[in-house]
Amino acid sequence: MRRAPLDLSLLPDGGVRWLDASGPHADIVISTRLRLARNVVGYAFTGRARDGERLRMLAQVKEALSQVPILDGSVLLRLDECGQLDRQLLHERHLVSKELAGLDAQHPLRTGAAVFLGEQVGVLVNEEDHLRLQAMRSGFDVPAAFSVASRMDQELGARVPFAYHKEFGFLTACPTNVGTGLRASVLIHLPGLVLTKEIGKVLAGLQQMGLTYRGLYGEGSEVVGNFFQLSNQTTLGRSEEELQDLLVRVVRHVIEREEEARRVLVRDAGYIIEDKLWRAYGTLRYARSLSFDEAMNFLSGVRLGVGLKLIPGLSVYTLNKLLIFAQSAHLSHAEGRTLTDSESNLARAKYVRQMLATEGSGVE
Amino acid sequence: MLCDHCKERDAVVHLTRIVDNAVTQLHLCEKCAAEKGVETTIALPQHPLGEILQAVQQQATPASVADAGVCAFCGATARDFRASGRLGCAHCYDAMETSLRELLRRLHGSSKHVGRRYEAPLPESLVEGDARAALTDRLRRAVESEQFELAAELRDKLRVLE
């Protein structure tokens, strides 16, 4: 059966307002996201639940969410009724996890997998936990993301009974999320620390402080283009405020280290760096075929050039859009059919060239 | 293919025997194969969190272990957790409280929640259809995971409803 492709214009703000580079430190921190893991009383956790339980839980939550003001105007997408390309598209927009989208070999698509998408907020249903309440913000803005997620939590928790234990706190399918169920993370670009080979020390330090790092798409993903996701490792034994405070303090320190590394690069290897970044720009501007990893690496270079004010006339917002829209499912969606790898590489190069020509006309 | 012995579970062990030049084939499930003393290389995949739990349970002194073997709500066992690293439902935390407390201490450095306190809204009376569907799903799961005592209990509850 051929399904109609997903109409992304139906999503509030296309689900990507967090890309607009309006937030604090937006040239280094692309976005902040915060999620709270919650389960509903009366059902087995998603992984053990039968199809009927997952569907009844979804129906109960759907009814309750219609009375939650913060989710007014949100859209419900049933992932179990979406084709693979659409699910991949939502995953590339960082709106659903790989597990929920059924793109993870270990976790096939589940009946009842769904997401409610509002403006910069979302509720993932039938993920590893029944509910993942998430909030996204542009740049480095943990307090704003928390205040929205927390409001959702209180409004929904007053209408649906959450699984809660006096000693252990909010109960989750995996014991690594129990307690607050809070995971705050920032997507951060650290080319300076990678080029000066300081990154290993910084990441080791993070882990000692109780933070962890992942790649572009979170858990289990690889680091490409010098983009890292930093988040809290533990969820129990510290309050929501303490967990946020820890992340904020450490990320602030990482930003300072990155800025320092960039100053060192310009001071000690000015023309080498300048040449390298312009070569990255030149490749993106004129290449006829680009793999995803290649595009990410050159984009990282151009982003550094923009941050150092060596490449003028290009906005961080344009670079953010390239980060998302140059991915395979987005290119296929734009073409209206599934592209092969080599077709994707051609389409990617074409898209990047056009974007740089139209939105980066001030560069040359 | 069903197990030749119990005729209930899927056969995963295929045994070829030659006795006096007569070839016989036996197809067994993992459980019956183990009962017949057939050694298999099939081992339950172990999740990293499961390994920690096992270590916790082995270190516990018999007196301190007060954990029930099976979750009375969803029928999950410690063995299920060891394989998947995930709990079956909220009640599993009660069924495995003692070992989970130690596991949480190792994972988080604490087992005590100090964040937001929560009081669930008063339980609205469930619609009868919901209660029956919920019980039926729990019963099916109990049968599938061979928790027959739990299944009998749930069947009785269903009868009361009906």
PDB file of all heavy atoms in Angstrom, chain A residues 125-145:
ATOM      1  N   VAL A 125       5.068   8.785  22.649  1.00  0.00           N
ATOM      2  CA  VAL A 125       4.240   7.769  23.314  1.00  0.00           C
ATOM      3  C   VAL A 125       4.658   6.373  22.869  1.00  0.00           C
ATOM      4  O   VAL A 125       4.830   6.122  21.671  1.00  0.00           O
ATOM      5  CB  VAL A 125       2.744   7.993  22.986  1.00  0.00           C
ATOM      6  CG1 VAL A 125       1.885   7.019  23.778  1.00  0.00           C
ATOM      7  CG2 VAL A 125       2.330   9.421  23.281  1.00  0.00           C
ATOM      8  N   ASN A 126       4.794   5.500  23.840  1.00  0.00           N
ATOM      9  CA  ASN A 126       5.225   4.115  23.606  1.00  0.00           C
ATOM     10  C   ASN A 126       6.656   4.016  23.126  1.00  0.00           C
ATOM     11  O   ASN A 126       7.002   3.193  22.294  1.00  0.00           O
ATOM     12  CB  ASN A 126       4.273   3.393  22.634  1.00  0.00           C
ATOM     13  CG  ASN A 126       2.993   2.968  23.336  1.00  0.00           C
ATOM     14  OD1 ASN A 126       3.050   2.417  24.445  1.00  0.00           O
ATOM     15  ND2 ASN A 126       1.851   3.218  22.726  1.00  0.00           N
ATOM     16  N   GLU A 127       7.492   4.903  23.642  1.00  0.00           N
ATOM     17  CA  GLU A 127       8.930   4.767  23.481  1.00  0.00           C
ATOM     18  C   GLU A 127       9.357   3.731  24.528  1.00  0.00           C
ATOM     19  O   GLU A 127       8.508   3.011  25.041  1.00  0.00           O
ATOM     20  CB  GLU A 127       9.590   6.146  23.729  1.00  0.00           C
ATOM     21  CG  GLU A 127      10.706   6.487  22.758  1.00  0.00           C
ATOM     22  CD  GLU A 127      12.072   6.092  23.256  1.00  0.00           C
ATOM     23  OE1 GLU A 127      12.192   5.598  24.377  1.00  0.00           O
ATOM     24  OE2 GLU A 127      13.053   6.277  22.501  1.00  0.00           O
ATOM     25  N   GLU A 128      10.624   3.690  24.895  1.00  0.00           N
ATOM     26  CA  GLU A 128      11.050   2.757  25.947  1.00  0.00           C
ATOM     27  C   GLU A 128      10.156   2.917  27.179  1.00  0.00           C
ATOM     28  O   GLU A 128       9.758   1.955  27.821  1.00  0.00           O
ATOM     29  CB  GLU A 128      12.512   3.041  26.296  1.00  0.00           C
ATOM     30  CG  GLU A 128      13.044   2.229  27.442  1.00  0.00           C
ATOM     31  CD  GLU A 128      14.480   2.618  27.762  1.00  0.00           C
ATOM     32  OE1 GLU A 128      15.308   2.599  26.845  1.00  0.00           O
ATOM     33  OE2 GLU A 128      14.758   2.946  28.927  1.00  0.00           O
ATOM     34  N   ASP A 129       9.816   4.165  27.501  1.00  0.00           N
ATOM     35  CA  ASP A 129       8.818   4.454  28.532  1.00  0.00           C
ATOM     36  C   ASP A 129       7.520   4.860  27.847  1.00  0.00           C
ATOM     37  O   ASP A 129       7.529   5.265  26.698  1.00  0.00           O
ATOM     38  CB  ASP A 129       9.322   5.586  29.438  1.00  0.00           C
ATOM     39  CG  ASP A 129      10.524   5.135  30.242  1.00  0.00           C
ATOM     40  OD1 ASP A 129      10.396   4.158  31.001  1.00  0.00           O
ATOM     41  OD2 ASP A 129      11.600   5.744  30.097  1.00  0.00           O
ATOM     42  N   HIS A 130       6.409   4.776  28.585  1.00  0.00           N
ATOM     43  CA  HIS A 130       5.128   5.154  27.984  1.00  0.00           C
ATOM     44  C   HIS A 130       5.190   6.558  27.409  1.00  0.00           C
ATOM     45  O   HIS A 130       4.734   6.815  26.311  1.00  0.00           O
ATOM     46  CB  HIS A 130       4.015   5.122  29.039  1.00  0.00           C
ATOM     47  CG  HIS A 130       3.672   3.746  29.504  1.00  0.00           C
ATOM     48  ND1 HIS A 130       3.187   3.487  30.769  1.00  0.00           N
ATOM     49  CD2 HIS A 130       3.752   2.548  28.878  1.00  0.00           C
ATOM     50  CE1 HIS A 130       2.965   2.184  30.890  1.00  0.00           C
ATOM     51  NE2 HIS A 130       3.310   1.594  29.763  1.00  0.00           N
ATOM     52  N   LEU A 131       5.767   7.473  28.217  1.00  0.00           N
ATOM     53  CA  LEU A 131       5.790   8.871  27.800  1.00  0.00           C
ATOM     54  C   LEU A 131       7.178   9.467  27.960  1.00  0.00           C
ATOM     55  O   LEU A 131       7.855   9.248  28.960  1.00  0.00           O
ATOM     56  CB  LEU A 131       4.820   9.694  28.666  1.00  0.00           C
ATOM     57  CG  LEU A 131       3.370   9.213  28.691  1.00  0.00           C
ATOM     58  CD1 LEU A 131       2.595   9.999  29.743  1.00  0.00           C
ATOM     59  CD2 LEU A 131       2.731   9.376  27.327  1.00  0.00           C
ATOM     60  N   ARG A 132       7.576  10.197  26.959  1.00  0.00           N
ATOM     61  CA  ARG A 132       8.778  11.027  27.064  1.00  0.00           C
ATOM     62  C   ARG A 132       8.320  12.439  26.736  1.00  0.00           C
ATOM     63  O   ARG A 132       7.942  12.715  25.594  1.00  0.00           O
ATOM     64  CB  ARG A 132       9.840  10.563  26.058  1.00  0.00           C
ATOM     65  CG  ARG A 132      10.427   9.176  26.373  1.00  0.00           C
ATOM     66  CD  ARG A 132      11.605   9.340  27.298  1.00  0.00           C
ATOM     67  NE  ARG A 132      12.105   8.102  27.873  1.00  0.00           N
ATOM     68  CZ  ARG A 132      13.181   7.455  27.429  1.00  0.00           C
ATOM     69  NH1 ARG A 132      13.816   7.875  26.371  1.00  0.00           N
ATOM     70  NH2 ARG A 132      13.616   6.393  28.063  1.00  0.00           N
ATOM     71  N   LEU A 133       8.326  13.301  27.759  1.00  0.00           N
ATOM     72  CA  LEU A 133       7.899  14.686  27.550  1.00  0.00           C
ATOM     73  C   LEU A 133       9.138  15.475  27.182  1.00  0.00           C
ATOM     74  O   LEU A 133      10.101  15.492  27.951  1.00  0.00           O
ATOM     75  CB  LEU A 133       7.296  15.254  28.839  1.00  0.00           C
ATOM     76  CG  LEU A 133       6.316  14.338  29.583  1.00  0.00           C
ATOM     77  CD1 LEU A 133       5.882  14.982  30.897  1.00  0.00           C
ATOM     78  CD2 LEU A 133       5.112  14.039  28.713  1.00  0.00           C
ATOM     79  N   GLN A 134       9.165  16.078  26.007  1.00  0.00           N
ATOM     80  CA  GLN A 134      10.395  16.795  25.656  1.00  0.00           C
ATOM     81  C   GLN A 134      10.171  18.220  25.184  1.00  0.00           C
ATOM     82  O   GLN A 134       9.137  18.562  24.635  1.00  0.00           O
ATOM     83  CB  GLN A 134      11.237  15.995  24.671  1.00  0.00           C
ATOM     84  CG  GLN A 134      10.642  15.807  23.291  1.00  0.00           C
ATOM     85  CD  GLN A 134      11.661  15.137  22.362  1.00  0.00           C
ATOM     86  OE1 GLN A 134      12.587  14.458  22.803  1.00  0.00           O
ATOM     87  NE2 GLN A 134      11.504  15.321  21.059  1.00  0.00           N
ATOM     88  N   ALA A 135      11.175  19.036  25.472  1.00  0.00           N
ATOM     89  CA  ALA A 135      11.133  20.435  25.078  1.00  0.00           C
ATOM     90  C   ALA A 135      12.452  20.777  24.396  1.00  0.00           C
ATOM     91  O   ALA A 135      13.504  20.328  24.840  1.00  0.00           O
ATOM     92  CB  ALA A 135      10.943  21.323  26.306  1.00  0.00           C
ATOM     93  N   MET A 136      12.393  21.522  23.314  1.00  0.00           N
ATOM     94  CA  MET A 136      13.595  21.903  22.586  1.00  0.00           C
ATOM     95  C   MET A 136      13.713  23.426  22.560  1.00  0.00           C
ATOM     96  O   MET A 136      12.713  24.128  22.499  1.00  0.00           O
ATOM     97  CB  MET A 136      13.518  21.435  21.122  1.00  0.00           C
ATOM     98  CG  MET A 136      13.501  19.949  20.928  1.00  0.00           C
ATOM     99  SD  MET A 136      11.846  19.259  21.102  1.00  0.00           S
ATOM    100  CE  MET A 136      11.207  19.424  19.461  1.00  0.00           C
ATOM    101  N   ARG A 137      14.947  23.920  22.593  1.00  0.00           N
ATOM    102  CA  ARG A 137      15.196  25.359  22.496  1.00  0.00           C
ATOM    103  C   ARG A 137      16.425  25.610  21.648  1.00  0.00           C
ATOM    104  O   ARG A 137      17.345  24.795  21.637  1.00  0.00           O
ATOM    105  CB  ARG A 137      15.433  25.957  23.902  1.00  0.00           C
ATOM    106  CG  ARG A 137      14.149  26.238  24.682  1.00  0.00           C
ATOM    107  CD  ARG A 137      13.321  27.324  23.996  1.00  0.00           C
ATOM    108  NE  ARG A 137      12.068  27.621  24.672  1.00  0.00           N
ATOM    109  CZ  ARG A 137      10.914  26.991  24.463  1.00  0.00           C
ATOM    110  NH1 ARG A 137      10.861  25.991  23.614  1.00  0.00           N
ATOM    111  NH2 ARG A 137       9.814  27.340  25.100  1.00  0.00           N
ATOM    112  N   SER A 138      16.426  26.739  20.971  1.00  0.00           N
ATOM    113  CA  SER A 138      17.606  27.129  20.211  1.00  0.00           C
ATOM    114  C   SER A 138      18.726  27.522  21.171  1.00  0.00           C
ATOM    115  O   SER A 138      18.474  28.101  22.227  1.00  0.00           O
ATOM    116  CB  SER A 138      17.249  28.322  19.322  1.00  0.00           C
ATOM    117  OG  SER A 138      18.406  28.913  18.820  1.00  0.00           O
ATOM    118  N   GLY A 139      19.974  27.206  20.792  1.00  0.00           N
ATOM    119  CA  GLY A 139      21.131  27.632  21.574  1.00  0.00           C
ATOM    120  C   GLY A 139      21.195  26.969  22.944  1.00  0.00           C
ATOM    121  O   GLY A 139      20.619  25.905  23.167  1.00  0.00           O
ATOM    122  N   PHE A 140      21.896  27.642  23.867  1.00  0.00           N
ATOM    123  CA  PHE A 140      22.159  27.087  25.201  1.00  0.00           C
ATOM    124  C   PHE A 140      21.159  27.697  26.183  1.00  0.00           C
ATOM    125  O   PHE A 140      21.371  28.786  26.683  1.00  0.00           O
ATOM    126  CB  PHE A 140      23.607  27.438  25.570  1.00  0.00           C
ATOM    127  CG  PHE A 140      24.052  26.930  26.905  1.00  0.00           C
ATOM    128  CD1 PHE A 140      23.617  25.711  27.400  1.00  0.00           C
ATOM    129  CD2 PHE A 140      24.952  27.673  27.668  1.00  0.00           C
ATOM    130  CE1 PHE A 140      24.056  25.245  28.628  1.00  0.00           C
ATOM    131  CE2 PHE A 140      25.403  27.210  28.891  1.00  0.00           C
ATOM    132  CZ  PHE A 140      24.953  25.996  29.375  1.00  0.00           C
ATOM    133  N   ASP A 141      20.047  27.016  26.404  1.00  0.00           N
ATOM    134  CA  ASP A 141      18.994  27.587  27.241  1.00  0.00           C
ATOM    135  C   ASP A 141      18.274  26.499  28.042  1.00  0.00           C
ATOM    136  O   ASP A 141      17.121  26.162  27.769  1.00  0.00           O
ATOM    137  CB  ASP A 141      18.004  28.361  26.357  1.00  0.00           C
ATOM    138  CG  ASP A 141      17.188  29.368  27.160  1.00  0.00           C
ATOM    139  OD1 ASP A 141      17.263  29.332  28.410  1.00  0.00           O
ATOM    140  OD2 ASP A 141      16.480  30.175  26.547  1.00  0.00           O
ATOM    141  N   VAL A 142      18.977  25.950  29.007  1.00  0.00           N
ATOM    142  CA  VAL A 142      18.425  24.864  29.820  1.00  0.00           C
ATOM    143  C   VAL A 142      17.197  25.313  30.626  1.00  0.00           C
ATOM    144  O   VAL A 142      16.180  24.610  30.644  1.00  0.00           O
ATOM    145  CB  VAL A 142      19.509  24.247  30.736  1.00  0.00           C
ATOM    146  CG1 VAL A 142      18.926  23.145  31.608  1.00  0.00           C
ATOM    147  CG2 VAL A 142      20.654  23.691  29.901  1.00  0.00           C
ATOM    148  N   PRO A 143      17.237  26.486  31.289  1.00  0.00           N
ATOM    149  CA  PRO A 143      16.075  26.869  32.115  1.00  0.00           C
ATOM    150  C   PRO A 143      14.776  26.969  31.313  1.00  0.00           C
ATOM    151  O   PRO A 143      13.721  26.540  31.776  1.00  0.00           O
ATOM    152  CB  PRO A 143      16.472  28.239  32.674  1.00  0.00           C
ATOM    153  CG  PRO A 143      17.954  28.288  32.591  1.00  0.00           C
ATOM    154  CD  PRO A 143      18.339  27.460  31.410  1.00  0.00           C
ATOM    155  N   ALA A 144      14.847  27.537  30.090  1.00  0.00           N
ATOM    156  CA  ALA A 144      13.622  27.681  29.285  1.00  0.00           C
ATOM    157  C   ALA A 144      13.076  26.308  28.918  1.00  0.00           C
ATOM    158  O   ALA A 144      11.869  26.061  28.996  1.00  0.00           O
ATOM    159  CB  ALA A 144      13.914  28.490  28.025  1.00  0.00           C
ATOM    160  N   ALA A 145      13.968  25.387  28.521  1.00  0.00           N
ATOM    161  CA  ALA A 145      13.511  24.050  28.140  1.00  0.00           C
ATOM    162  C   ALA A 145      12.909  23.347  29.357  1.00  0.00           C
ATOM    163  O   ALA A 145      11.864  22.691  29.265  1.00  0.00           O
ATOM    164  CB  ALA A 145      14.673  23.233  27.579  1.00  0.00           C
TER     165      ALA A 145
END
